[in-house]
Amino acid sequence: MSKVSMKHIHGLYAIELWRYDESNGKLVNISLSHDEETSLNCCGMLIKRITQEADPTNSYSTKEAADAYEKLTDRSSPGFLPPTSLDVGVGLPGVLWAETSPSKGLNNPQQRAVQKDSVFWRDVEELANDPDQPFDERLQSFAKAGFKLATGITFDSNGYRGIVIFYACPHGNAEKLNNSTNIMFMHTSAQMIGSSVAIQAQLDDIKAYRNKIRYDNWRITKIKVKTIVRFGGSLRKEAPVDGYQNGIDKSKGGGSTLKKIRDASVRFRTNAKEVAMEVKDNARTQGSRYIKKLQGGSAGIPPSFTNSQETSNELSLVLAPLGAFTTLQYCLTAAPASQPRNAFFAQIFAVTTAILLCYIPGMSPWFRSALTPAIVIPLMARFGIIHPPAGASCVVFSSGQFGWGHMGIFLSGVSIAITTAVLINNLSDKRQYPTSWYWIRKAKSSCSPTIQ
């Protein structure tokens, strides 16, 4: 199905399929071919043809592109980069998934009818160089290898959700690539590919279910046989006396009525138990996914800017940098500058520097306000804790109107902002915050035994 569809799409390099894992909120790569021997199936990516930058016979070819292409496609290469599960907003699949509106799935025919004749092509190289994106080596290799145009089309097949990514040639005829017929076929192909993968997953589930039924039937039969062998004739019922048995008049049908009541009671208990188990399983799945997202992803940590302030009496709250920080948390959730590690350490460093400079006698306020960010900003970059609101904080605190008490209140505000952002952002399937808990990851790596 995937190969047939890809063959007829104009200007295509390759396609890739990622499934949204409901249990942990991550995107997982799904192989589009079970043929591990052929070059058409490269780390879950189905390739139509080699990129022009990596093709040695093409004028666009470069050695850097060829090496990057080999990392993505050659499993025997020492630097091979296999696709790993991604957090929402991280890497090309994460960005395309986060940018796609939920209303563009299978559940909204009107939206689908409007949107299916157009797509938005992302510049992969531009995305790879975006400082607000966590570093992703595989994304960098895609950009270098010549996979410079990409778009994602989501699918939802009875709750099996995911995204199909199409990589296109940037040197071809853009008019043919964006022709409405070509784009509509891409949309249709994405839904068909998603549905075929969903059917395969459901087939695996039904096979497992049938195996379970066979095992349960065998187990019940085994129990019955053991019971009969053990108790023998004691299980046989005594003959009825004068039409009565166990106090029930058979002629009046009393046994039948009681049997119906017992059966109804059994059915009610069984149905209630099944409903309770289903509710319990759903709650456990959603709770587990939410907790895993609260733990952060595996992305690395490096930027944007804003300024302003508001003060009151003795122990006032400095609001301006918190407003800038909140903007980063909810609008650029995957940006390295938005992560808790950068926010907390950068604010401590910036505010401490500003207050200490206020102790230097004879320094005019205007000079101190210029000197403080000149010291703080380069050192933030040097220490790898770039956080634009910290640049605003050091200017505010360098005025000399704030002291250590204000710093404590301000850092409490930063902590509260981080806590609320973690709780709110992770309620959405399109976001994850933070992308990494630096302290937890560092502690786990230091506590794990060294492998010799």
Side-chain angles (χ1 to χ4, degrees):
M1 176 67 70
S2 305
K3 294 179 182 178
V4 172
S5 301
M6 185 172 61
K7 178 181 178 181
H8 297 287
I9 299 176
H10 178 81
L12 201 63
Y13 276 151
I15 58 176
E16 209 174 23
L17 186 142
W18 293 78
R19 176 179 67 87
Y20 181 74
D21 191 340
E22 302 286 348
S23 63
N24 57 19
K26 292 181 180 289
L27 290 167
V28 181
N29 181 265
I30 302 297
S31 175
L32 292 174
S33 171
H34 296 291
D35 185 3
E36 300 291 338
E37 302 294 330
T38 177
S39 61
L40 286 176
N41 180 34
C42 303
C43 63
M45 181 169 56
L46 201 60
I47 296 180
K48 181 179 181 181
R49 59 191 176 98
I50 190 172
T51 61
Q52 295 188 24
E53 286 81 355
D55 187 358
T57 63
N58 195 285
S59 58
Y60 288 102
S61 176
T62 64
K63 186 178 185 308
E64 182 184 38
D67 291 342
Y69 187 85
E70 182 180 5
K71 287 183 179 180
L72 293 170
T73 60
D74 188 359
R75 296 178 181 274
S76 61
S77 171
F80 175 66
L81 298 172
T84 57
S85 59
L86 294 172
D87 302 313
V88 173
V90 177
L92 181 62
V95 171
L96 294 178
W97 174 262
E99 289 178 345
T100 306
S101 170
S103 62
K104 295 180 184 177
L106 278 176
N107 295 328
N108 195 327
Q110 294 180 345
Q111 283 286 343
R112 192 167 71 250
V114 174
Q115 298 291 340
K116 69 180 182 180
D117 60 347
S118 64
V119 294
F120 177 68
W121 292 99
R122 286 299 303 260
D123 188 326
V124 178
E125 192 170 28
E126 180 182 285
L127 187 63
N129 295 325
D130 186 356
D132 287 330
Q133 278 298 317
F135 179 81
D136 183 78
E137 188 176 0
R138 199 163 182 268
L139 174 60
Q140 300 291 328
S141 297
F142 269 107
K144 294 175 183 176
F147 295 100
K148 296 184 178 180
L149 282 183
T151 189
I153 300 176
T154 58
F155 63 86
D156 185 343
S157 179
N158 293 326
Y160 189 95
R161 297 190 291 162
I163 185 169
V164 178
I165 301 177
F166 297 85
Y167 297 94
C169 174
H171 311 293
N173 189 319
E175 185 177 347
K176 292 181 179 179
L177 177 64
N178 293 303
N179 180 272
S180 60
T181 303
N182 195 51
I183 298 300
M184 289 174 68
F185 185 68
M186 286 172 58
H187 277 270
T188 304
S189 299
Q191 305 306 325
M192 292 179 67
I193 292 171
S195 297
S196 63
V197 174
I199 289 173
Q200 183 59 48
Q202 291 167 4
L203 281 174
D204 294 338
D205 291 342
I206 198 66
K207 287 179 182 178
Y209 176 67
R210 294 186 66 179
N211 289 335
K212 181 179 181 298
I213 290 177
R214 284 197 291 267
Y215 173 77
D216 289 344
N217 290 340
W218 173 85
R219 187 169 58 87
I220 292 171
T221 303
K222 181 180 177 182
I223 292 172
K224 287 182 177 179
V225 170
K226 283 185 175 181
T227 303
I228 293 173
V229 170
R230 176 168 296 180
F231 295 101
S234 62
L235 295 178
R236 285 178 290 187
K237 297 180 181 179
E238 296 181 0
V241 179
D242 298 330
Y244 284 85
Q245 183 174 359
N246 297 329
I248 300 172
D249 189 348
K250 298 294 184 180
S251 63
K252 297 182 180 179
S256 176
T257 303
L258 289 176
K259 185 176 183 302
K260 289 179 180 179
I261 294 175
R262 281 198 302 269
D263 291 345
S265 177
V266 170
R267 284 197 302 270
F268 175 78
R269 288 197 301 270
T270 302
N271 293 338
K273 185 176 180 181
E274 290 177 354
V275 171
M277 290 297 295
E278 184 177 352
V279 171
K280 182 179 177 182
D281 291 342
N282 289 339
R284 183 188 294 117
T285 300
Q286 294 178 4
S288 174
R289 179 176 64 187
Y290 185 65
I291 290 173
K292 287 181 180 178
K293 292 177 72 175
L294 291 181
Q295 295 172 355
S298 56
I301 299 296
S304 241
F305 180 73
T306 159
N307 203 342
S308 206
Q309 78 153 349
E310 182 175 317
T311 62
S312 177
N313 292 324
E314 292 189 0
L315 290 180
S316 55
L317 176 63
V318 180
L319 291 176
L322 290 178
F325 181 34
T326 305
T327 303
L328 287 178
Q329 287 179 309
Y330 294 99
C331 299
L332 293 172
T333 54
S338 307
Q339 304 311 307
R341 169 188 179 271
N342 285 37
F344 207 73
F345 287 134
Q347 293 288 10
I348 292 176
F349 172 69
V351 176
T352 302
T353 303
I355 295 177
L356 290 176
L357 287 177
C358 292
Y359 285 96
I360 299 177
M363 184 180 295
S364 58
W366 67 266
F367 181 74
R368 188 167 55 239
S369 296
L371 178 63
T372 306
I375 295 173
V376 168
I377 294 174
L379 288 178
M380 278 198 301
R382 178 66 182 84
F383 296 148
I385 52 173
I386 296 175
H387 184 62
S393 300
C394 71
V395 174
V396 173
F397 278 84
S398 67
S399 64
Q401 302 175 13
F402 306 99
W404 300 109
H406 298 90
M407 176 181 175
I409 297 175
F410 177 69
L411 292 178
S412 298
V414 172
S415 301
I416 294 171
I418 291 173
T419 303
T420 54
V422 169
L423 295 175
I424 295 173
N425 275 315
N426 290 318
L427 293 174
S428 170
D429 291 341
K430 301 292 182 180
R431 298 181 184 182
Q432 172 160 331
Y433 183 82
T435 57
S436 175
W437 281 112
Y438 174 78
W439 303 285
I440 297 176
R441 199 165 51 122
K442 187 104 174 167
K444 285 183 177 179
S445 60
S446 62
C447 293
S448 59
T450 305
I451 300 175
Q452 299 293 338

